[in-house]
């Protein structure tokens, strides 16, 4: 059975059990400060488990792209070393939101595995939670009894909290779970030791494939558990592991999910898989990491220097490093795997097809730049090695290479080993630990539990229609941030405050109580389904009714910039072409920033056209057509632009200004006239194939013009209030050129006169024409003069000394015949005379100069020159 069929059968099976099949959510999480990447199938549904929202169907199934490289679930170091952990993998899952519970979950899992996929019952083990005294949790006998109907008792194993109590993170929904494990060892192996002894023992052929989690609790900030409002089922089955079992392989990498990639790596790097363990690890690492990186880029997350982007960069660099060290790849090659990956997975994940070009370009660029870093690092490491007197390289040196230059520590260790040297690994670890603590302390946030004031969980957003309304606080909590200090997060029953999202900043404003107390709202953000308002303090009576007021000036400026962003997007697609796709945007009250795919610099003419296009739309005075709650497909059919990597619901909001139509949750002006004017302030590259335009509108544009006008006035004033400063300046420039020419001529004349004077001063010493004198010319003038004199006077030995800007300069010229006959060398002479002027220099035997910081010594140097002729 192919992997494509295996995936489809899973979805079909749960469809037949009344589940809605949904698409995978994007892997990069945008609305959750506790999670950077989706790390399990349940993460996109977290709010449903917490009761902060309701799904359309309370039975759902899907395959979800997951990434386990950071936070509580981090498998990065396992990947490639073993055969069944990946960075990015697909998790097949079925969910019940307050609907069915343990009975159906267990029965259906068993039916799917043994009747649909026809896995031999005798290779399956299941586990149940044995209970935990410290948490006050009992053994899950309910699950035990349900399993007993299908599975012999000796195959139902007890599991501890670590394995059989599932938690998504430090806080949040959790519950006991029941795992299903397979034992795919040979009969011979099985005879030696029974499978139940190997479950959860990290054996590569006795692995967990499916985890059925029974969500019952919420882990609170103080570590205690509270019961969730209702009970849910959350299951997750590793797709690649399932393929391994169904395709009778011993490793995930031997399935059709990975094999085409591995073959391509073999071809591109001219190496073979299965011949050498170190190379095999490298090949597995690369075949795994290319998936994680390509999918992230397709979901809109480019490698970068911070946050999620940095995680992606590190994954890619790990792959590059393994290739560099074990497959001897010294040039970029990982990008060459992209077409194979797209061919394999593009059907199930069309975003890969759509973004193939971008993925290829970004990876190639990242590879090239990291390989340069490696080259530089190798040089630096050489320096460290040659400077070191001991056989051990200190941990802090290695850390410096790692931290400042990005040179990987395992490579340092390997190179040292090859040289018979050692690395102080403990010292390195200590440095690393210190740095981790520093950055943890800098970003640490302590989050308290929500204090619920009412159980009204449906927080309505009314900010499209009004900026002021009466509200009540439904819940609040205290957060302690290292940076901002103590803050309160407030949630209302309804709110006019726009939460940061879709590139647009969150609203600011204030709450006003009847007694006159004012609490400022300094920011608004979305956390999953909640709109969270940030305040420096809590109102004296949080249960009172407040007037919530949005800062309308900031909101209006921001709206103006957001509308301009849409018009800019439209302009770029019109003028540069339809390949332009939005890759990021930032809409503030001060300005806007728009990143988009385009493969060359936007020329000045193109920028002018773009600006003109947007301003023409502004002048047209196009009224906003806002359409809320239209079906997603209908909006797309009508030509609305959607963002890649964004999660849209079934119904969407579309923003239309004439021919510009986008799916957008942001706030906009009522008429393009309100934008007033649009000015591009910069254009540049952000990554390979991604350009960035920054622009201003409205008040900022007014200010821009006002400042220009003021400085124009000043210029006019400087030019005696001329009505036409341009021609005045042109005239000034002309005059300036003329004066320059005259100065050049005067200098030439001066040199000519000087030459005549100097010629008269030449005297004869031991048959040599000799002149040593101080003159007032710059270095170039001295050189010209020396050569001109040399042309007219034979057997010449010349030394000029001059003081220029407080520094000394010596220029020595010796006729070629003298150099030959008398063995004189100007280079050597100026080097020696350099001591008088506290400096040095050099050059050729017939011409050389020296500079120094002591002009006082010039006279002595000139005097000393004559000695060379004696
Ligand atoms: P393991 O102990 O093998 O790391 P887990 O307990 O971390 O697994 P869960 O968090 O329960 O796994 O995830 C559900 C399923 O997802 C697992 O049963 C497994 O099939 C799959 N899975 C988990 N982690 C990975 C990974 N890194 N790569 C591939 N599949 C995975
Ligand atoms: Mg794990």
């Amino acid at each position: 059975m192919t992997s494509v069929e295996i995936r489809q059968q899973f979805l079909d099976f749960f469809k037949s059990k009344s589940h809605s099949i949904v698409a995978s959510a994007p892997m990069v999480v945008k609305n959750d400060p506790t999670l950077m990447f989706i790390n399990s199938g349940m993460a996109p549904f977290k709010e449903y488990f917490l009761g902060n929202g309701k799904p359309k169907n309370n039975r759902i199934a899907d395959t979800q792209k997951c990434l386990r490289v950071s936070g509580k679930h981090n498998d990065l170091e396992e990947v490639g070393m073993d055969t069944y952990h990946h960075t990015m993998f697909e998790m097949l899952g079925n969910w019940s939101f307050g609907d069915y519970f343990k009975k159906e979950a267990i029965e259906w899992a068993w039916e799917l595995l043994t009747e649909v996929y026809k896995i031999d019952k005798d290779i399956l083990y299941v586990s149940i939670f044995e209970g935990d005294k410290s948490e006050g949790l009992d053994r899950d006998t309910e699950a035990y009894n349900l399993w007993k109907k299908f599975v012999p008792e000796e195959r139902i194993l007890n599991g501890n909290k670590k394995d059989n109590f599932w938690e998504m993170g430090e806080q949040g929904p959790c519950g006991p779970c029941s795992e299903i494990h397979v034992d795919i060892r040979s009969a011979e192996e099985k005879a030696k030791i029974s499978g139940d002894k190997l479950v959860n023992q990290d054996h590569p052929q006795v692995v967990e494939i499916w985890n059925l989690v029974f969500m019952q609790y919420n882990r609170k900030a103080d570590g205690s558990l509270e019961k969730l409002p209702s009970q849910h089922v959350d299951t997750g089955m590793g797709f690649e592991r399932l393929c391994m079992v169904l395709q009778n392989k011993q490793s995930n990498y031997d399935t059709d999910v990975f094999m085409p990639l591995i073959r391509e790596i073999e071809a591109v790097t001219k190496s073979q898989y299965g011949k050498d363990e170190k190379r095999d690890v490298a090949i597995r690492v690369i075949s795994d990491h290319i998936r994680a990186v390509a999918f992230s880029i397709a979901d809109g997350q480019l490698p970068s220097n911070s946050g999620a982007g940095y995680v992606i960069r590190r994954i890619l660099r790990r792959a590059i490093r393994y290739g560099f060290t074990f497959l001897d790849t010294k040039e970029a090659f990982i990008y060459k795997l992209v077409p194979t990956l797209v061919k394999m997975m593009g059907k199930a994940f069309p975003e890969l097809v759509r973004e193939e070009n971008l993925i290829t370009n970004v990876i190639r660029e990242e590879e090239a730049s990291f390989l340069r870093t490696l080259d530089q690092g190798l040089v630096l490491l050489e320096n460290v090695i040659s400077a070191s007197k001991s056989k051990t390289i200190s941990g802090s040196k290695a850390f410096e290479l790692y931290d400042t230059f990005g040179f990987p520590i395992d490579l340092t260790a390997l190179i040292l080993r090859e040289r018979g040297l050692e690395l102080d690994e403990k010292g390195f670890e200590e440095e690393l630990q210190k740095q981790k603590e520093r950055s943890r302390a800098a970003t640490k946030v302590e989050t308290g539990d929500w204090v619920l004031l009412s159980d009204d969980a449906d927080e309505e957003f009314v900010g499209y229609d009004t900026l002021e309304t009466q509200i009540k606080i439904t819940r609040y909590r205290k957060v302690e941030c290292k940076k901002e200090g103590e803050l309160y997060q407030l949630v209302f029953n309804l709110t006019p405050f726009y939460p940061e999202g879709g590139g647009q900043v969150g609203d600011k404003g204030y709450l006003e109580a009847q007694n006159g107390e004012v609490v400022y709202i300094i920011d608004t953000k979305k956390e999953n389904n909640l709109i969270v308002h940030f305040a420096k303090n809590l109102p004296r009576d949080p249960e009172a009714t407040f007037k919530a007021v949005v800062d309308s000036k900031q909101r209006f400026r921001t709206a103006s910039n957001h509308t301009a962003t849409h018009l800019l997007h439209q302009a770029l697609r019109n003028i540069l072409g339809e390949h332009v796709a939005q890759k990021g945007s930032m809409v503030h009250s001060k300005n806007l920033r728009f990143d988009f795919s385009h493969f060359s610099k936007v020329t000045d003419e193109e920028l002018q056209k773009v600006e003109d296009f947007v301003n023409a739309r502004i002048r047209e005075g196009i009224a906003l057509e806002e359409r809320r709650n239209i079906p997603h497909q209908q909006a797309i059919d009508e030509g609305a632009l959607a963002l890649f990597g964004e999660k849209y619901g079934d119904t969407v909001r579309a923003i239309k200004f004439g021919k510009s139509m986008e799916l957008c949750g942001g706030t906009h002006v009522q008429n393009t006239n309100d934008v007033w004017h649009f000015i591009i302030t910069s254009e540049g590259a952000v990554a390979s194939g991604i350009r960035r335009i920054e622009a201003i509108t409205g008040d900022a544009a007014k200010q821009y013009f006002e400042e220009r006008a003021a400085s124009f006035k000043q210029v006019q004033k400087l030019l005696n209030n001329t009505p036409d400063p341009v021609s005045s300046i042109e005239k000034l420039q002309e005059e300036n050129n003329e004066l320059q020419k005259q100065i050049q001529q005067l200098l030439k004349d001066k040199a000519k006169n000087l030459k005549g004077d100097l010629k008269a001063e030449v005297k004869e010493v031991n048959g040599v024409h000799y002149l040593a004198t101080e003159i007032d010319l710059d270095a170039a003038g001295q050189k010209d003069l020396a050569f001109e004199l040399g042309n007219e006077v034979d057997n010449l030995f010349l030394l000029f000394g001059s003081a220029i800007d407080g520094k000394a300069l010596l220029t020595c010229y010796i006729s070629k015949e003298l150099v030959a006959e008398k063995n004189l060398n100007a280079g050597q002479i100026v080097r020696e005379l350099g001591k008088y002027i506290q400096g040095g220099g050099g050059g050729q035997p017939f011409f050389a100069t020296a500079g120094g910081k002591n002009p006082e010594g010039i006279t002595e140097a000139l005097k000393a020159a004559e000695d060379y002729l004696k």
Side-chain angles (χ1 to χ4, degrees):
M1 212 188 308
T2 65
S3 53
V4 174
E5 290 160 350
I6 294 171
R7 189 192 287 117
Q8 197 54 49
Q9 283 203 345
F10 178 89
L11 299 176
D12 290 345
F13 176 80
F14 281 102
K15 200 168 170 187
S16 77
K17 309 281 184 205
S18 312
H19 288 62
S20 291
I21 309 302
V22 301
S24 172
M27 209 159 59
V28 187
V29 181
K30 298 206 172 104
N31 276 337
D32 189 341
T34 64
L35 207 59
M36 213 182 261
F37 299 100
I38 297 286
N39 61 4
S40 56
M42 62 77 74
F45 306 119
K46 190 174 143 190
E47 292 306 279
Y48 300 152
F49 294 118
L50 287 172
N52 294 335
K54 274 207 165 52
K56 247 195 5 246
N57 185 346
N58 47 23
R59 295 182 183 189
I60 284 181
D62 69 0
T63 178
Q64 172 64 46
K65 301 175 269 189
C66 297
L67 192 63
R68 291 199 169 177
V69 290
S70 57
K72 188 172 167 74
H73 293 278
N74 186 346
D75 292 335
L76 187 60
E77 293 312 319
E78 262 71 60
V79 175
M81 304 299 163
D82 74 18
T83 50
Y84 58 104
H85 279 99
H86 304 296
T87 53
M88 185 228 132
F89 62 99
E90 285 179 60
M91 199 185 279
L92 303 166
N94 57 293
W95 283 275
S96 150
F97 303 107
D99 186 33
Y100 61 83
F101 204 45
K102 297 183 188 178
K103 179 171 180 293
E104 292 84 348
I106 288 176
E107 283 176 6
W108 289 338
W110 194 255
E111 182 187 338
L112 177 64
L113 292 182
T114 60
E115 286 170 36
V116 177
Y117 288 137
K118 304 213 166 9
I119 297 178
D120 181 358
K121 292 180 182 128
D122 296 339
I123 69 167
L124 295 174
Y125 289 88
V126 302
S127 67
I128 59 135
F129 181 46
E130 66 186 7
D132 188 286
K133 280 231 170 63
S134 66
E135 301 263 17
L137 296 170
D138 293 334
R139 177 167 186 266
D140 193 352
T141 43
E142 189 186 354
Y144 181 84
N145 291 330
L146 288 164
W147 280 121
K148 232 170 53 181
K149 286 194 278 179
F150 311 111
V151 186
E153 279 176 43
E154 66 276 13
R155 290 180 166 270
I156 307 176
L157 313 172
N158 280 328
N160 60 18
K161 195 172 109 187
K162 183 180 132 286
D163 289 319
N164 282 72
F165 193 86
W166 202 89
E167 310 201 34
M168 185 194 69
E170 300 309 329
Q171 273 162 268
C174 53
C177 61
S178 227
E179 300 172 336
I180 303 173
H181 297 257
V182 288
D183 178 0
I184 51 172
R185 293 173 304 151
S186 64
E188 221 181 323
E189 290 289 320
K190 285 179 184 166
K192 274 188 224 152
I193 174 165
S194 135
D196 58 334
K197 304 263 174 341
L198 297 175
V199 165
N200 276 333
Q201 299 301 316
D202 296 331
H203 189 291
Q205 270 103 45
V206 184
V207 295
E208 175 191 330
I209 55 166
W210 202 347
N211 194 355
L212 316 180
V213 183
F214 310 119
M215 294 285 182
Q216 293 172 271
Y217 304 103
N218 179 29
R219 172 81 67 192
K220 304 212 306 181
D222 63 2
S224 66
L225 295 172
E226 76 182 355
K227 257 202 159 15
L228 287 175
S230 45
Q231 296 176 323
H232 317 279
V233 170
D234 150 29
T235 87
M237 174 150 61
F239 171 63
E240 298 77 8
R241 293 187 191 177
L242 178 65
C243 291
M244 164 174 82
V245 177
L246 297 182
Q247 296 180 355
N248 283 320
K249 304 291 185 197
Q250 302 281 297
S251 151
N252 287 6
Y253 294 90
D254 292 342
T255 66
D256 68 346
V257 183
F258 284 94
M259 226 40 219
L261 279 173
I262 291 179
R263 291 283 170 254
E264 190 63 20
I265 296 171
E266 290 181 317
V268 172
T269 64
K270 307 202 172 41
S271 48
Q272 268 192 311
Y273 186 61
K275 292 273 183 271
D276 170 88
E277 180 54 18
K278 276 191 179 147
R279 267 204 296 270
D280 289 354
V281 170
I283 291 175
R284 287 198 290 266
V285 163
I286 295 161
S287 69
D288 174 277
H289 291 9
I290 174 79
R291 288 167 26 111
V293 174
F295 273 93
S296 304
I297 298 175
D299 272 357
Q301 183 59 62
L302 299 181
S304 74
N305 252 343
S306 62
Y310 190 52
V311 175
I312 299 306
R313 174 166 282 168
R314 280 200 344 246
I315 297 176
L316 182 54
R317 288 184 168 185
R318 188 168 185 262
I320 299 170
R321 223 161 79 206
Y322 270 93
F324 185 87
T325 314
F326 300 108
L327 305 180
D328 207 30
T329 49
K330 303 296 180 248
E331 268 166 39
F333 74 100
I334 297 174
Y335 74 95
K336 294 183 185 161
L337 309 172
V338 174
T340 307
L341 178 66
V342 173
K343 211 159 86 206
M344 290 162 62
M345 303 196 75
K347 262 234 163 73
F349 300 95
E351 62 269 31
L352 283 182
V353 182
R354 205 172 47 213
E355 299 294 302
E356 177 170 356
N357 259 340
L358 181 69
I359 297 169
T360 308
N361 279 310
V362 169
I363 294 182
R364 185 179 45 215
E365 189 87 350
E366 280 283 317
E367 284 190 89
S369 104
F370 187 54
L371 287 167
R372 278 196 296 275
T373 304
L374 287 180
D375 272 342
Q376 287 162 0
L378 288 174
V379 174
L380 291 169
L381 182 57
E382 280 308 320
N383 293 345
V384 172
I385 291 174
S386 57
S388 166
K389 292 189 186 67
S390 98
K391 271 201 143 318
T392 306
I393 301 296
S394 79
S396 60
K397 268 276 168 252
F399 182 76
E400 192 185 316
L401 273 175
Y402 162 83
D403 190 42
T404 321
F405 305 103
F407 197 71
I409 188 63
D410 51 359
L411 213 53
T412 304
L414 187 84
I415 291 167
L416 294 180
R417 231 176 293 133
E418 282 168 1
R419 302 290 199 79
L421 297 169
E422 268 176 52
L423 168 70
D424 170 14
E425 283 180 32
K426 211 169 138 243
F428 175 82
E429 279 305 323
E430 278 167 17
E431 293 291 333
L432 190 65
Q433 213 48 45
K434 268 191 245 164
Q435 188 216 34
K436 275 192 183 150
E437 248 131 59
R438 275 194 304 273
S439 67
R440 202 172 305 142
T443 55
K444 193 162 177 175
V445 181
E446 299 251 6
T447 311
D449 288 319
W450 286 115
V451 178
L452 295 185
L453 299 182
S454 86
D455 54 8
D456 180 357
D458 286 327
E459 187 185 21
E460 195 188 344
F461 175 66
V462 295
Y464 293 139
D465 304 312
T466 177
L467 298 183
E468 210 183 293
T469 186
Q470 300 289 325
I471 62 104
K472 281 186 83 83
I473 299 174
T474 55
R475 58 169 82 184
Y476 67 85
R477 70 180 172 193
K478 189 156 101 180
V479 291
E480 192 88 49
C481 315
K482 200 79 198 173
K483 245 184 20 220
E484 290 95 350
E486 192 180 292
L487 291 179
Y488 285 87
Q489 298 185 333
L490 317 175
V491 178
F492 309 155
N493 59 338
L494 83 174
T495 180
F497 286 85
Y498 178 81
E500 178 184 315
Q504 181 178 329
V505 289
D507 277 337
K508 292 184 171 59
Y510 62 89
L511 298 184
E512 190 182 330
Q514 238 132 35
N515 61 15
E517 186 192 10
V518 168
V519 171
Y520 288 97
I521 302 298
I522 55 173
D523 202 0
T524 311
K525 287 188 176 162
K526 215 165 178 182
E527 186 169 330
N528 300 302
N529 282 342
L530 293 179
I531 297 175
V532 180
H533 308 80
F534 290 70
K536 282 254 180 243
N537 57 304
L538 198 64
R540 278 196 295 275
D541 176 14
E543 295 190 57
T545 301
F546 299 89
K547 187 167 81 179
V549 183
V550 173
D551 176 342
S552 57
K553 196 157 174 182
Q554 173 189 305
R555 167 69 90 79
F556 178 73
R557 289 176 173 172
T558 309
S560 165
N561 281 332
H562 204 150
T563 299
T565 305
H566 285 206
L567 299 177
L568 169 63
H569 192 184
Q570 185 196 8
L572 290 168
R573 288 172 64 90
N574 256 283
I575 288 149
L576 302 180
E578 300 272 305
H579 63 279
V580 168
Q582 174 168 347
K583 285 292 159 223
S585 85
M586 186 73 94
V587 180
H588 291 283
S589 59
K590 289 204 178 70
N591 70 341
L592 65 97
R593 198 172 88 190
F594 188 74
D595 296 347
F596 57 100
S597 47
H598 182 57
F599 292 97
S600 58
K601 190 178 162 45
V602 188
T603 64
D604 288 345
E605 294 85 78
E606 286 166 336
L607 284 177
Q608 190 58 55
K609 277 192 195 156
V610 168
E611 220 178 74
D612 293 346
F613 183 101
V614 174
N615 281 318
R617 302 290 84 74
I618 293 172
R619 293 299 103 77
E620 271 174 37
I622 309 168
L624 161 71
E625 271 181 74
E626 181 202 1
R627 305 188 35 207
R628 292 183 205 165
N629 295 320
I630 55 170
H632 183 235
Q633 196 51 46
Q634 184 192 333
I636 299 294
D637 291 345
E638 287 178 27
L641 293 177
L643 271 188
F644 306 138
E646 201 64 47
K647 201 169 122 190
Y648 292 107
D650 295 333
T651 61
V652 293
R653 176 169 177 261
I655 291 295
K656 205 163 172 247
F657 285 101
K659 291 207 173 75
S660 150
M661 181 167 174
E662 295 194 22
L663 300 189
C664 176
T667 64
H668 287 268
V669 294
Q670 290 303 312
N671 187 299
T672 57
N673 263 168
D674 298 336
V675 178
W676 192 71
H677 196 75
F678 170 82
I679 303 170
I680 293 176
T681 51
S682 75
E683 190 276 341
V686 228
S688 154
I690 310 266
R691 312 292 305 180
R692 168 171 297 172
I693 282 183
E694 291 181 314
I696 51 176
T697 68
D699 290 341
K702 271 180 208 159
Q703 198 186 341
Y704 177 92
F705 283 130
E706 278 160 13
E707 282 167 9
R708 301 279 139 146
S711 58
F712 185 79
K713 269 210 187 102
Q714 236 174 333
V715 171
Q716 262 184 319
K717 213 162 135 201
L718 289 172
L719 297 167
N720 293 326
N721 290 323
T722 160
D724 183 5
V726 174
S727 57
S728 296
I729 290 173
E730 278 169 357
K731 222 170 97 203
L732 277 178
Q733 281 176 336
E734 250 167 59
E735 280 172 19
N736 191 34
N737 285 342
E738 193 50 42
L739 289 171
Q740 284 291 341
K741 270 188 216 148
Q742 288 179 11
I743 290 175
Q744 289 304 322
Q745 193 52 46
L746 285 172
L747 284 175
K748 261 193 200 147
D749 292 349
K750 179 179 163 197
K752 222 182 200 165
N753 291 340
L754 192 61
K755 195 167 75 183
D757 293 348
L758 290 176
K759 245 165 111 176
E761 280 179 40
V762 172
K763 58 180 185 179
E764 212 175 296
V765 180
N766 285 337
V768 171
H769 288 127
Y770 169 79
L771 175 66
T773 183
E774 193 163 349
I775 64 170
D776 178 22
L777 272 183
D778 65 0
Q782 292 188 30
K783 184 175 176 186
D784 289 345
L785 184 59
F787 279 86
E788 276 178 37
L789 281 169
N791 278 337
E792 294 174 26
V793 182
D794 59 0
N795 277 331
L796 182 66
F797 180 112
L798 198 64
L799 182 70
F800 290 149
S802 65
I804 303 169
D805 296 334
K807 291 202 179 102
L809 176 70
L810 297 177
T811 301
C812 180
Y813 175 94
I814 302 174
S815 299
K816 289 221 166 103
E817 61 268 25
L818 277 184
V819 170
E821 286 162 22
K822 302 234 169 184
N823 203 17
L824 289 168
N825 184 330
Q828 197 185 338
I829 292 171
V830 295
R831 250 195 307 279
E832 288 169 12
L833 295 177
K835 69 178 178 220
Y836 295 106
I837 55 166
Q838 290 178 20
Q844 285 154 301
F846 59 92
F847 182 82
T849 59
K853 52 184 180 208
N854 177 29
E856 318 277 279
I858 291 176
T859 326
E860 264 182 282
L862 292 173
K863 230 192 269 161
E866 208 172 321
D867 295 344
Y868 289 98
L869 303 181
K870 291 192 176 140

